[in-house]
Amino acid sequence: MNAASVGTSLREIDDLPSPRGLPLLGNLHQLPPATHHLTLERWAAELGTPYVFRLGTTPVTVWNDIELSHAVMRERPHRYRRYAPIENILKEFGCNGLFSIEGAAWEPQRRLVMQALSIPHIKAFYPTLAAITERLRRRWEAAARAGRVVDMTDDLKRFTVDVTSALAFGEDPNTLENERVLIQEQLALLLPMLMTRVNAPFAYWHYVKFPRDRKFDEAMIDVHRHIRELMSRARARMREEAAVEACETPLEETARAPRNLLEAMLTLRDAPGSGITDDEVAANVLTMLVAGEETTATSIAWALFFLGTDDALQARVAAQARQVLGGSAVCPSYGAMRELDLCEAVCTEASRLHPVAPYMSLEPLEEVRLQGVRLAAGTKMFMLHRPAMMDPDNYADPERYDPDRWLHDHRHEDAASERGAHEPRAYLQFGAGPRVCPGRHLAAVEMRLVVSMLTANFTAQLATNPADIREVCTFTVVPSEMPMRLTLR
Ligand code: HEM
């Protein structure tokens, strides 16, 4: 028995309720990739949880219990791991980095990434963050002057790729000012292909390649070439700087501290007997690019959806932003940015209603008993996140978009009972436990910078019918589009 076990009468997964499927296919035909998360949530409402569905012949159990999610996520990497097909497929992509690596190899990588994304590091990096935000502002100013509709999902991804690359690799690709940057287009293929292959009933691409598999393979060759060039430029910079330092201080210890994640990984890899390979470093470069790009861009894009359809809210956010920014177009300092709570809250609340990660997929490494159900090692588990975020016991009036719910101090009991339920533990958009997202602080800073810059300098209006914007699952869940019309203030 383990920490998450409850109940006495033991059930097998075949005893769980299940949507009716077909022999061999299971429920695959009922789960179109782009919307399968919605079907899983509907089945949870209809059948109750836990339930089991089948991807081909593979049973997948589905759970909806916050405390269970916390308990399972806490017991990683020793008792639970991420869904094994994710690691298998990412290995084939040359992308088996921190997100998917398991076992003893995970911890040293985690330490490096945590250091690179730590608050002091981000604070020191703030001037670069502000400069990239200013570049985004100039791009939007040009669009506003030309009366051009902005494709927010695309622009925000350019912003997040520039930020991650500059912070983690010490090189800024400036996708915001280079209209056709190939890496941007190639990266966009990775998550959808991961999703397709993770959910495929068998590894068809080992036997036959469809045109889109071939296009993807070619894109990955280019992405890896780009990453190797990035690595060799970083090595050359490190050698040059070490040589300069050696000339200036010939009698001193000349090794200098790595300045970013890539330098830290290369230093470790190049140490005698490290056992780390260039392939592992490259896998983490790609992991960081992918993990930091769409997630943050999507959370901001959904916030713009709500701001772009609510003039009063937008005016309120703009008033706070203008007050904090003073005369600057972009938040002038890390200290001032901490005043921009509302700018982060609009994004947090947007991702409560439209989660980027509507479920987490895991599996136990040993037999476990959860809520009276016996799960053999390797049983697939999907932990749903949205039902708990839409439960009135966790969030008062849960259908309402209300960023203020994240701003109240819920520790004061009287005021809290007047406002109604607010259960931060039900918000699992960054995961939980030892593998909680290491980029969450960077993401929060990006949200504050972009939302304050946008509202202080522009008014924004959604340039399509809100009802036309759908959730599309491409491993993470993104909006189908987010076109906006900006006007200079
Ligand atoms: C709003 C933005 C973001 C969201 C919603 C998000 C969400 C997540 C989630 C749900 C996980 C899994 C956590 C778990 O297993 O408990 C995760 C892991 C991870 N995230 Fe994020 N993320 C965001 C931004 C970022 C950024 C900006 C970076 C880096 C630049 C990043 C890097 C990573 C990495 C490397 C992992 C794997 C950690 C591990 O397994 O140890 N994320 N993220």
Side-chain angles (χ1 to χ4, degrees):
M1 296 283 271
N2 61 47
S5 303
V6 284
T8 48
S9 66
L10 198 57
R11 286 185 294 169
E12 301 294 328
I13 59 173
D14 285 340
D15 301 329
L16 297 177
S18 177
R20 190 185 296 275
L22 294 174
L24 295 177
L25 267 186
N27 302 101
L28 257 179
H29 62 298
Q30 293 152 301
L31 295 166
T35 54
H36 76 281
H37 61 297
L38 301 173
T39 308
L40 297 181
E41 290 172 3
R42 179 167 55 77
W43 284 339
E46 289 168 6
L47 302 168
T49 54
Y51 70 87
V52 63
F53 73 95
R54 284 179 171 74
L55 285 175
T57 52
T58 307
V60 181
T61 58
V62 182
W63 307 78
N64 169 29
D65 181 311
I66 314 168
E67 290 314 321
L68 181 74
S69 292
H70 277 277
V72 166
M73 287 196 256
R74 203 167 41 233
E75 295 192 88
R76 293 179 292 167
H78 57 287
R79 185 167 280 135
Y80 294 90
R81 56 162 296 155
R82 289 198 202 286
Y83 193 66
I86 295 178
E87 187 181 11
N88 299 339
I89 308 290
L90 284 176
K91 254 186 209 158
E92 294 183 353
F93 294 177
C95 186
N96 190 24
L98 183 65
F99 182 78
S100 48
I101 204 137
E102 295 286 341
W106 167 77
E107 203 181 329
Q109 291 195 10
R110 174 86 188 181
R111 244 181 282 126
L112 281 186
V113 171
M114 287 297 281
Q115 208 173 13
L117 297 177
S118 67
I119 293 178
H121 199 155
I122 291 173
K123 207 167 159 183
F125 179 68
Y126 188 81
T128 309
L129 271 168
I132 298 174
T133 312
E134 166 57 17
R135 207 189 276 162
L136 179 63
R137 190 200 62 76
R138 285 201 301 269
R139 185 176 171 92
W140 285 349
E141 181 179 342
R145 288 195 190 284
R148 209 171 42 241
V149 167
V150 175
D151 174 352
M152 280 295 173
T153 48
D154 182 62
D155 277 16
L156 289 167
K157 280 196 274 185
R158 288 171 185 269
F159 171 77
T160 53
V161 162
D162 284 359
V163 164
T164 306
S165 306
L167 173 67
F169 318 134
E171 240 187 62
D172 179 353
N174 196 358
T175 65
L176 279 167
E177 287 177 338
N178 296 321
E179 211 37 61
R180 279 214 66 203
V181 180
L182 220 50
I183 179 90
Q184 184 72 23
E185 290 167 24
Q186 290 158 333
L187 281 177
L189 303 177
L190 195 145
L191 286 178
M193 187 54 87
L194 173 63
M195 230 234 347
T196 304
R197 292 190 179 175
V198 160
N199 291 323
F202 71 100
Y204 72 85
W205 59 97
H206 290 172
Y207 309 98
V208 55
K209 299 251 174 163
F210 296 112
R212 87 186 168 134
D213 296 296
R214 285 199 292 272
K215 184 176 169 203
F216 176 74
D217 288 351
E218 282 161 22
M220 281 302 105
I221 290 170
D222 277 348
V223 165
H224 280 286
R225 189 179 308 123
H226 170 88
I227 291 173
R228 293 307 163 129
E229 285 165 7
L230 191 76
M231 286 164 60
S232 76
R233 283 194 298 270
R235 278 200 170 103
R237 268 196 311 272
M238 288 160 75
R239 269 197 308 271
E240 264 169 39
E241 285 168 24
V244 170
E245 277 171 35
C247 290
E248 284 169 359
T249 52
L251 299 177
E252 308 270 318
E253 174 59 62
T254 54
R256 63 166 177 80
R259 278 186 310 212
N260 56 51
L261 177 65
L262 181 55
E263 288 191 3
M265 290 192 298
L266 290 173
T267 306
L268 208 69
R269 185 255 175 273
D270 293 343
S274 74
I276 301 173
T277 63
D278 270 8
D279 284 352
E280 284 165 344
V281 175
N284 263 310
V285 169
L286 188 50
T287 297
M288 296 298 288
L289 281 173
V290 172
E293 184 198 21
E294 201 159 271
T295 46
T296 315
T298 296
S299 300
I300 301 174
W302 277 118
L304 301 187
F305 170 86
F306 290 103
L307 290 173
T309 47
D310 182 342
D311 291 345
L313 175 65
Q314 193 177 141
R316 228 184 101 210
V317 178
Q320 189 196 63
R322 279 204 302 275
Q323 194 188 352
V324 174
L325 270 54
S328 312
V330 168
C331 183
S333 70
Y334 186 86
M337 191 214 45
R338 290 163 67 184
E339 306 292 309
L340 293 168
D341 288 347
L342 182 58
C343 294
E344 184 180 343
V346 293
C347 299
T348 308
E349 178 67 346
S351 65
R352 183 182 68 80
L353 295 172
H354 293 289
V356 176
Y359 64 85
M360 189 86 88
S361 47
L362 301 162
E363 48 184 79
L365 290 162
E366 58 190 54
E367 180 180 305
V368 294
R369 289 157 191 218
L370 302 176
Q371 299 187 339
V373 183
R374 190 182 72 83
L375 303 184
T379 304
K380 313 294 180 212
M381 301 174 68
F382 283 7
M383 324 290 289
L384 297 181
H385 290 162
R386 183 156 38 193
M389 297 196 289
M390 299 305 291
D391 182 342
D393 289 342
N394 292 329
Y395 295 103
D397 199 1
E399 303 286 338
R400 196 157 71 91
Y401 176 74
D402 176 15
D404 287 288
R405 69 173 87 237
W406 298 98
L407 302 179
H408 299 309
D409 185 348
H410 291 268
R411 285 166 306 180
H412 300 301
E413 272 180 25
D414 291 348
S417 66
E418 248 171 56
R419 281 188 215 104
H422 183 80
E423 180 46 83
R425 282 173 72 73
Y427 181 81
L428 283 168
Q429 278 313 283
F430 292 106
R435 298 196 78 147
V436 68
C437 174
R440 62 198 186 288
H441 182 70
L442 175 62
V445 172
E446 292 177 271
M447 289 169 186
R448 286 168 184 245
L449 276 171
V450 171
V451 173
S452 62
M453 177 276 280
L454 178 90
T455 53
N457 296 283
F458 305 92
T459 52
Q461 258 189 333
L462 197 62
T464 188
N465 180 355
D468 290 344
I469 299 186
R470 290 165 292 107
E471 286 185 3
V472 179
C473 189
T474 60
F475 194 74
T476 51
V477 170
V478 299
S480 52
E481 57 174 338
M482 200 57 75
M484 304 208 75
R485 206 175 293 286
L486 302 181
T487 313
L488 282 163
R489 276 191 191 275

